[in-house]
Amino acid sequence: QPGVWPSTPYTDWMAKKRIHLYTFLQLFFFALVFVVQNVKKISIVFPFMVFLCIPARLFFFPRVFEGWEMVVLDGEDEQIEEWVDAKEESIRNFEEKQRSIRMGDGSTIAIEDSQRVSSSDDSLIGDDA
């Protein structure tokens, strides 16, 4: 349901399941810090729990998520824009390669979207056939 999700880099490129996992882990760490803060017997370790969120973000999250997912989910705006630009460029390059057909003799024929190539097309057959 595209109308339910706003168009952002992570909703456009990531699986919703991965977004939910990231949100769940964020809420889990928040709940841990919140519980430690509000339980008087263990509230002395509150600064330590806050401190543990840093290594969790630096070491645990990259084990769960790919590098590009972390950039899209938690990166700076400039990093996200660079990633989106690189991704779109990669897609354009792939589509351009898909539009060309490599022939058996090593030559390449560019195919326009509106053209179709059939095996009975005489214009594709060389002089030696």
Side-chain angles (χ1 to χ4, degrees):
Q1 296 177 347
V4 176
W5 298 87
S7 180
T8 61
Y10 58 88
T11 57
D12 292 343
W13 299 103
M14 289 185 65
K16 305 305 182 247
K17 186 177 180 180
R18 301 291 286 171
I19 297 170
H20 293 314
L21 176 63
Y22 181 80
T23 304
F24 172 77
L25 290 173
Q26 291 273 335
L27 288 172
F28 175 75
F29 280 99
F30 172 76
L32 281 177
V33 170
F34 185 79
V35 166
V36 168
Q37 174 190 359
N38 289 312
V39 175
K40 296 295 182 194
K41 292 183 179 184
I42 59 173
S43 64
I44 191 80
V45 297
F46 174 73
F48 183 68
M49 288 299 293
V50 171
F51 174 75
L52 284 180
C53 290
I54 296 169
R57 168 59 181 88
L58 294 175
F59 301 111
F60 174 70
F61 276 66
R63 290 181 180 262
V64 176
F65 297 99
E66 299 283 331
W68 69 270
E69 290 175 318
M70 289 304 300
V71 168
V72 173
L73 287 168
D74 198 27
E76 299 291 327
D77 290 339
E78 296 83 23
Q79 290 176 316
I80 295 170
E81 289 175 19
E82 285 178 22
W83 184 87
V84 169
D85 292 342
K87 180 70 173 180
E88 290 172 350
E89 178 68 23
S90 174
I91 290 171
R92 279 192 297 275
N93 290 340
F94 177 76
E95 288 172 347
E96 287 175 11
K97 287 181 183 178
Q98 291 296 97
R99 284 191 206 114
S100 65
I101 296 177
R102 188 163 296 273
M103 302 300 286
D105 62 355
S107 62
T108 302
I109 299 175
I111 304 299
E112 298 295 324
D113 290 334
S114 62
Q115 290 180 327
R116 290 193 153 192
V117 175
S118 66
S119 59
S120 63
D121 190 356
D122 292 334
S123 64
L124 295 179
I125 299 175
D127 293 335
D128 55 344

